[in-house]
Amino acid sequence: MKKKLLFACALALSSLGAMAQWTAPTPKLTSSVDEIANIDSLIFYHVGQEMFLTAGTAWNTHACLTDDITSALLWEVQAQQSYSNCYKFYCPEASHDHYLFRDQAPDVYTDWQSKNTTEGLMFEFVASDAGYLRIRSAADDPYFGINNLTEDDANYVYALWEMGWDPDNDDVNSSGASLGTNIGIFMLDPDVNSEYQLDWEVLAKDDYKLYLAQTKLYNRMLEGVAAGMEESDLDAYASYINSTDLDAVNEAYNTVDELVTEFAFGNAGEDNVVEVTTLISNPTIEGERSAEPDGWIDTY
């Protein structure tokens, strides 16, 4: 799969981009996942909304999206050996410990507990025109699978619907329970509305950690240029923006952070104020009980 996601870095880059022209490469969120089946700690990334699959409201059960990676559910995609292109999505986290499933509505929920049933729990992947993944009921799912239905069956109409985001959804499930803001995930008929966003990417947890580190480095370099540094002062670190070595990216950030800080303090003045609040630590509480704290500490 190793495909680069087709969007530019969105974490504060838009605001910083106005400060200076920058010719260095920008971070790209890239999937390192080659095999999906039977791999744990996978994150489902919604390409259109640039958000992650998680459990939402309706008692923390309805599938929805979050832009907070720490709230994304980690999934184990379990291949069903008796079938082709047929998977269950299991979330082993202690706070969840459930399967993803769809119902007739067709809502998508994250809290099916029984490990012995297959109805509505079996999904398949199909490729989209853009090269991403789409998710729908597996053809052999006994409840929604196209192989087990005739046109007379009530569920036949839902068989080929795909999991995704509807810009016009009213943020309630079939029972009227609120899903909050417009982040609900449903099974949708791809032939009904071209505005439906149905493309997904599968990421390893470390893929996003790397992206955050790359973005942090990029933003700090941009701040240095905005403060008056020459790009040539930072050119040696530009290649780390797209490095796949997380430790190397973090080390580059630490060096760049020191260079930018030194430059900022060296050029500080009445007309060039440097914000130093973040360089101050709160008083420590080390020592004996009731002892005086050490006071404010300047970490610069």
Side-chain angles (χ1 to χ4, degrees), residues 48-220:
Q49 290 300 297
E50 301 180 3
M51 299 173 79
F52 307 92
L53 183 63
T54 190
T57 51
W59 300 279
N60 197 37
T61 62
H62 200 285
C64 72
L65 298 174
T66 177
D67 59 4
D68 179 6
I69 185 62
T70 64
S71 298
L73 292 178
L74 302 179
W75 297 92
E76 177 184 314
V77 179
Q78 301 175 343
Q80 304 302 293
Q81 300 301 323
S82 301
Y83 307 96
S84 175
N85 191 20
C86 187
Y87 306 92
K88 289 184 180 180
F89 299 168
Y90 173 60
C91 181
E93 296 180 41
S95 61
H96 217 73
D97 191 25
H98 295 146
Y99 282 85
L100 188 76
F101 78 101
R102 58 170 297 183
D103 70 6
Q104 195 175 21
D107 288 303
V108 183
Y109 291 96
T110 63
D111 64 332
W112 192 273
Q113 299 182 43
S114 174
K115 297 178 174 61
N116 300 317
T117 188
T118 56
E119 295 183 354
L121 277 75
M122 295 166 65
F123 296 89
E124 67 181 20
F125 296 105
V126 292
S128 72
D129 292 339
Y132 295 107
L133 296 174
R134 292 196 172 185
I135 302 169
R136 66 188 183 195
S137 288
D140 290 313
D141 182 273
Y143 202 63
F144 291 103
I146 193 71
N147 289 349
N148 296 312
L149 298 171
T150 68
E151 293 187 12
D152 295 329
D153 291 314
N155 290 332
Y156 183 84
V157 66
Y158 304 122
L160 298 181
W161 289 22
E162 298 173 352
M163 192 169 82
W165 180 82
D166 176 2
D168 297 324
N169 82 60
D170 55 5
D171 303 315
V172 295
N173 65 9
S174 58
S175 301
S178 172
L179 301 178
T181 55
N182 191 17
I183 55 175
I185 288 297
F186 299 86
M187 302 303 294
L188 304 169
D189 185 348
D191 296 326
V192 166
N193 189 341
S194 62
E195 298 300 315
Y196 289 160
Q197 295 180 357
L198 306 170
D199 285 359
W200 297 86
E201 178 67 292
V202 181
L203 306 172
K205 188 175 183 180
D206 288 343
D207 293 336
Y208 201 78
K209 289 182 179 179
L210 178 64
Y211 174 65
L212 291 179
Q214 293 170 339
T215 300
K216 185 178 179 182
L217 170 62
Y218 178 92
N219 286 345
R220 193 60 173 141

